């Protein structure tokens, strides 16, 4: 089954929670955890990984919290998914390892179709910004928003 992992889903929720507020707004990880229904045990690890990848900024102290380092219109679903999942490959044959990795490489009709499907999926994820997602979630009750 092709499926994102749970941490990726929670990471998307963290970025979405921040994107729903004006740029520069800081939220505590506790606020995000409660609003987006993320188990407490996951939040710190997810926030740390998002910060390592430059997808959130963290601030310590009394006025600390999290904020987006740049406008939500410049952060895509693809950015967050790839930060947690790594490069998206529909088939191992899509990863160029060398000339001998597949005996059918040069004449494989399936590989060319995988390539088209993969390109379409990556293009779509790159076109979905967190600004778009935040706008779509506007007015949605929190209990439903958390499932977005």
């Amino acid at each position: 089954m092709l499926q994102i992992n749970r941490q990726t889903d929670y990471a998307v929720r963290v970025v979405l929670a921040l994107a729903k507020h004006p740029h520069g707004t800081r939220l505590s990880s506790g606020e995000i955890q409660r609003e987006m229904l993320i188990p407490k045990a996951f939040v710190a690890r997810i926030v740390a990984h998002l910060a390592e990848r430059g997808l959130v900024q963290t601030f310590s102290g009394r006025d600390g919290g999290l904020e987006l380092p740049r406008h939500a219109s410049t952060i895509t679903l693809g950015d967050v998914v790839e930060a947690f999942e790594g490069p998206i490959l529909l088939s191992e044959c899509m990863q160029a390892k060398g000339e001998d990795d597949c005996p059918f490489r040069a004449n494989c009709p399936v590989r060319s179709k995988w390539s088209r499907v993969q390109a379409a999926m990556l293009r779509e994820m790159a076109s979905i910004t967190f600004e778009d997602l935040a706008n779509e979630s506007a007015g949605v009750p929190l209990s439903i928003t958390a499932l977005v």
Side-chain angles (χ1 to χ4, degrees), residues 47-116:
V47 167
H49 193 74
L50 285 167
E52 284 174 13
R53 304 290 189 200
L55 295 167
V56 299
Q57 280 185 296
T58 60
F59 300 88
S60 57
R62 190 172 143 251
D63 295 324
L66 311 170
E67 68 181 56
L68 294 178
R70 55 189 195 272
H71 196 276
S73 64
T74 67
I75 302 171
T76 68
L77 185 60
D79 294 333
V80 176
V81 169
E82 285 200 15
F84 279 80
E85 301 288 338
I88 305 297
L89 296 171
L90 291 182
S91 172
E92 196 171 321
C93 77
M94 299 303 300
Q95 185 175 5
K97 295 179 220 155
E99 302 276 329
D100 301 327
D101 61 336
C102 178
F104 305 109
R105 185 177 186 97
N107 297 314
C108 181
V110 179
R111 185 176 192 277
S112 66
K113 302 309 183 256
W114 283 139
S115 180
R116 285 181 37 210

Side-chain angles (χ1 to χ4, degrees), residues 33-50:
Q33 179 259 319
R34 286 186 296 279
E35 177 186 343
M36 301 309 272
L37 305 176
I38 301 169
K40 206 172 198 172
F42 285 91
V43 175
R45 184 174 42 221
I46 290 167
V47 167
H49 193 74
L50 285 167

